[in-house]
Amino acid sequence: MISTRLVSSVQAVLATGSGIVIIRSCNDVVAGRHWLAREYVWFLIPYMIYDCYAMYLCDWYRARDQNRAHSLTLRSFLSRNRLMITHHAVILFVLVPVAQRLRGDLGDFFVGCIFTAELSTPFVSLGRVLIQLKQQHTLLYKVNGVLTLATFLCCRILLFPFMYWSYGHQQGLSLLQVPFRIPFFCNVANAFLIAPQIYWFSLLCRKALRLFDNPQAKKDG
């Protein structure tokens, strides 16, 4: 639904803006502080719950239009959306406690970096809306696809080397030395965070290749 995409885009703009403010305010990447690093998380929690409910409604309406609404159970919904639901669950039950309590007063800079990962969401949402409006053949759709790939690559994948580089730059370490100088659980957490991003980026790249390589895809999406 278009309204759902709009809500996601607004949240993404707010998260990205908050992240940029936090990053620019933290001169020390470990001990630097900004109040948004904690307070914005309280806005993020209800959004994640809303987004899960919105995904279920979208599936339900899609199933109803195909005369199979009776077959949409909670189990089937979770099965079809297991990666996204897992993503949201990890944010709610792991990242939120870490951001609010477990990290103490350290790491606001890195929380801000994670917030900026939402920069790609408005472009992803616009792409879905254009598909819904059957505008896959338009220049806007192709330009938006390029912007989606660029923002996703920069803010969801290259973001992690940037965080390592920022820490290393402050501590006088090279990028390759950083993983061996930080707590092991930090590397594990980052690996779990980046893994689904790499998977989703690969899906976006495949879709982009089909769009630009297959003329028929311009019409059919």
Side-chain angles (χ1 to χ4, degrees):
M1 293 185 289
I2 295 178
S3 59
T4 302
R5 301 298 175 189
L6 179 60
V7 172
S8 296
S9 297
V10 170
Q11 189 282 140
V13 170
L14 292 175
T16 302
S18 298
I20 292 173
V21 170
I22 295 167
I23 291 170
R24 291 177 60 87
S25 299
C26 294
N27 295 322
D28 187 311
V29 302
V30 176
R33 302 297 308 281
H34 194 282
W35 63 271
L36 274 173
R38 288 193 187 276
E39 299 306 321
Y40 188 79
V41 174
W42 297 120
F43 178 81
L44 190 63
I45 293 172
Y47 168 74
M48 287 296 168
I49 296 173
Y50 157 82
D51 198 45
C52 290
Y53 179 64
M55 282 192 294
Y56 179 80
L57 282 183
C58 287
D59 270 19
W60 188 88
Y61 281 113
R62 190 180 299 114
R64 187 193 64 175
D65 292 341
Q66 298 172 0
N67 294 321
R68 56 180 184 83
H70 62 281
S71 66
L72 182 63
T73 62
L74 181 59
R75 178 177 295 180
S76 64
F77 166 73
L78 294 175
S79 176
R80 278 195 298 272
N81 299 277
R82 57 183 176 274
L83 186 56
M84 186 61 74
I85 296 298
T86 301
H87 170 266
H88 284 26
V90 168
I91 289 176
L92 288 173
F93 299 113
V94 179
L95 295 187
V96 167
V98 169
Q100 296 299 82
R101 294 291 181 184
L102 300 181
R103 68 186 177 89
D105 294 330
L106 304 177
D108 282 14
F109 173 87
F110 300 109
V111 173
C113 288
I114 296 298
F115 285 169
T116 63
E118 289 295 308
L119 181 60
S120 62
T121 299
F123 301 105
V124 173
S125 296
L126 178 58
R128 297 287 180 83
V129 170
L130 291 173
I131 290 174
Q132 189 174 342
L133 298 176
K134 302 188 185 302
Q135 298 296 307
Q136 299 97 311
H137 61 284
T138 62
L139 177 62
L140 175 60
Y141 183 78
K142 288 184 281 190
V143 170
N144 183 73
V146 172
L147 291 173
T148 300
L149 287 175
T151 54
F152 202 101
L153 175 63
C154 292
C155 296
R156 288 182 179 258
I157 295 178
L158 297 182
L159 171 70
F160 291 90
F162 169 74
M163 290 193 291
Y164 277 66
W165 175 85
S166 297
Y167 178 82
H169 181 71
Q170 179 173 295
Q171 300 297 322
L173 303 171
S174 71
L175 178 62
L176 295 180
Q177 288 177 308
V178 173
F180 303 100
R181 300 293 183 88
I182 62 176
F184 177 71
F185 69 84
C186 292
N187 291 317
V188 173
N190 284 326
F192 274 105
L193 288 173
I194 198 174
Q197 311 305 329
I198 294 174
Y199 171 73
W200 282 320
F201 184 69
S202 69
L203 295 182
L204 289 173
C205 288
R206 291 175 193 172
K207 186 175 181 180
L209 287 175
R210 288 199 303 268
L211 175 66
F212 288 100
D213 288 348
N214 187 354
Q216 185 62 33
K218 297 179 181 179
K219 297 180 180 179
D220 299 337

